[in-house]
Amino acid sequence: MTSEMLPAFIESSNVERKQSLSEDQEKSQKPRLCERFEQISKRQMKKLIKQKQWEEQRELRKQKRKEKRKRKQLERQCQLESNSDGNDRKRIRRDVVHSTLRLIIDCSFDSLMILKDIKKLHKQIQRCYAENRRALHPVQFYLTSHGGQLKKNMDENDKGWVNWKDIHIKPEHYSEFIKKEDLIYLTSDSPNVLKELDESKAYVIGGLVDHNHHKGLTYKQASNHGIDHAQLPLGNFVKMNSRKVLAINHECNIVMNLAKKCMEFVFVAVFEIILEYLETRDWQEAFFTILPQRKGAVPTDKACEGSSHDKKSARVEDGLDSDSSEEENSRNELESPHEEEKQDKENSNESTVNSVPH
């Protein structure tokens, strides 16, 4: 082999080596790729396929959403055109007449309640807010002394309270921004009974869920602050009409307990009663619309009718009893001469027996 042919031979051998190396690499890579595909399970393959289909159909989904929005807009327009009789929600809200009466929930009893009662208080406040928003004559709703456990619970469980409308939530005490002569504290322990609601006044309800652990606390607080106080006229419109004979003080205690449950433990009932009264201007209708129909509790007029009916029935029964007693007396009078004759005969027989010598 000449010196001229040597470089060409070397180059050809190098090319052959490179080709063999590349073939070997391809052969070694093929089983690795197969191993990778073998490692993916069927479930993973299905997920990959679904994901690919989801990405491919993205534009189609967007188009469907647009069409759905257009259909809803058309439906709303048709509803607005068809609701010419004023039954739609917006037109109902136009008929609402806001009352100037201020209704305050006093939340200054935070330290006297456990967390369980704080949660109940929060739920009752939520219900009061919802009822006031739905009412035909909503009041000027105030939440005062807002802080402590109540605020913390509302922040954790009801973050949307910061966006509530038609409510004044204040950390200050109500006495700091409302005149004392305008305030009336509603408490069942007050000797004063409300006859009417004065819409120029501000009525305070104690935001206290205490299960009767702090009796008369709201009344004491009102007296200490020099604020006027009163109770709802529940006893004037609710009567315990039980057929069992009850002592007068027992009946009064039942009515008072019902009043206390309404005014202290479930203050939302007081809130709803006031809203109902502003709509109907009738205490009796307001009480029996909101309060549960308890056993024996009836309106006073029905109770009077029932008592007069009972008296009549009692008189009839007394008449029947007197008639029966008269009949018995007449029978006894008729039977008495026969008995006397029998006794005379017995006495004569005894005398003859005694006269016979032994």
Side-chain angles (χ1 to χ4, degrees), residues 330-345:
S330 63
R331 283 174 188 172
N332 290 331
E333 287 174 359
L334 291 168
E335 289 174 358
S336 59
H338 295 290
E339 288 178 356
E340 287 176 359
E341 288 176 1
K342 285 179 182 178
Q343 284 178 358
D344 292 337
K345 286 180 181 178

Side-chain angles (χ1 to χ4, degrees), residues 235-249:
N236 298 341
F237 297 93
V238 178
K239 183 79 174 174
M240 299 308 295
N241 189 22
S242 179
R243 293 205 174 192
K244 294 179 182 178
V245 178
L246 295 175
I248 293 168
N249 60 345

Side-chain angles (χ1 to χ4, degrees), residues 54-68:
W54 178 264
E55 288 173 358
E56 287 174 355
Q57 294 175 358
R58 187 175 291 173
E59 293 297 326
L60 183 64
R61 286 196 304 276
K62 281 183 181 178
Q63 192 176 352
K64 283 183 178 180
R65 281 198 295 271
K66 285 179 182 178
E67 289 174 359
K68 193 176 180 180

Side-chain angles (χ1 to χ4, degrees), residues 155-213:
D155 287 335
E156 289 175 357
N157 302 314
D158 185 17
K159 293 178 182 178
W161 71 267
V162 294
N163 299 319
W164 284 0
K165 297 175 182 178
D166 301 327
I167 185 170
H168 309 279
I169 301 174
K170 295 183 177 292
E172 299 89 11
H173 194 262
Y174 55 84
S175 59
E176 294 181 22
F177 56 90
I178 296 176
K179 294 176 183 178
K180 191 181 286 187
E181 56 268 20
D182 291 344
L183 290 164
I184 298 173
Y185 212 114
L186 294 175
T187 170
S188 60
D189 296 300
S190 173
N192 307 321
V193 180
L194 272 181
K195 292 181 180 178
E196 291 180 345
L197 289 175
D198 186 354
E199 296 197 33
S200 65
K201 298 287 185 182
Y203 293 89
V204 185
I205 303 170
L208 178 63
V209 181
D210 67 339
H211 305 285
N212 212 15
H213 295 311

